Amino acid sequence: MTSESVQPVSGPSRRTVVTAVGAAGLAVALTACGSDDEASGSSTEQGAAGAGATTEAGGSSADAGAGGAALAKTADIPEGSGKVFSDEKVVVSQPAAGDFKAFSTICTHQNCPMTDLKEDTLSCACHGSQFSVLDGSVKKGPATQALAAKQITVSGDSITLA
């Protein structure tokens, strides 16, 4: 009969487990703090210039067949201000009489949804960034990128999300 010494098989060390948990937590935190491609990149140019934000009746045929969700009547959007549509994550504004623009209500700092609109300023409750709903530009940081422009169609007195 042979006698083997029985030695316990050791698992990962405490240091290995703590390091792995810390690395996983860091990966989750960094992912949450990142921004999506729509909120970064070309949104500064589109938001500040309002490029493509509004399509008047008689616009391109590509816009005419978009068939988006009806948002509001033109009379519902105050001149020099706007109106937030939380479900669609969009704000529609009227910088000048008959000129309508639309922007995302997702803050470009850390992607928080925004609903606090006072006059022409949309504010983020997460970190205090403020944006102009008239052109999408940043009024107050920490955000550094303008709101992403959204496509809308104005047909008669109806505003539709493209």
Side-chain angles (χ1 to χ4, degrees):
M1 190 171 192
T2 40
S3 115
E4 289 183 31
S5 68
V6 178
Q7 294 188 12
V9 177
S10 64
S13 71
R14 181 176 180 182
R15 178 176 287 170
T16 302
V17 171
V18 170
T19 302
V21 169
L26 180 61
V28 168
L30 289 176
T31 301
C33 289
S35 63
D36 63 16
D37 289 340
E38 182 178 322
S40 63
S42 66
S43 65
T44 301
E45 297 86 29
Q46 283 186 352
T54 304
T55 302
E56 296 298 325
S60 73
S61 60
D63 292 331
L71 290 176
K73 299 290 184 193
T74 56
D76 296 338
I77 310 300
E79 186 177 343
S81 185
K83 184 173 179 181
V84 173
F85 299 91
S86 299
D87 290 345
E88 292 81 5
K89 297 179 179 91
V90 68
V91 60
V92 177
S93 64
Q94 185 176 191
D99 180 27
F100 297 91
K101 298 193 180 292
F103 300 96
S104 169
T105 57
I106 302 301
C107 181
T108 59
H109 174 237
Q110 287 191 351
N111 299 319
C112 291
M114 299 181 288
T115 59
D116 183 22
L117 175 63
K118 289 186 179 68
E119 296 178 16
D120 68 341
T121 302
L122 186 62
S123 300
C124 180
C126 292
H127 300 103
S129 293
Q130 294 181 339
F131 301 87
S132 169
V133 296
L134 304 180
D135 64 6
S137 65
V138 176
K139 288 183 142 188
K140 178 184 166 204
T144 58
Q145 294 181 336
L147 295 174
K150 294 291 185 179
Q151 294 289 329
I152 56 173
T153 301
V154 178
S155 180
D157 69 344
S158 180
I159 300 173
T160 304
L161 190 57

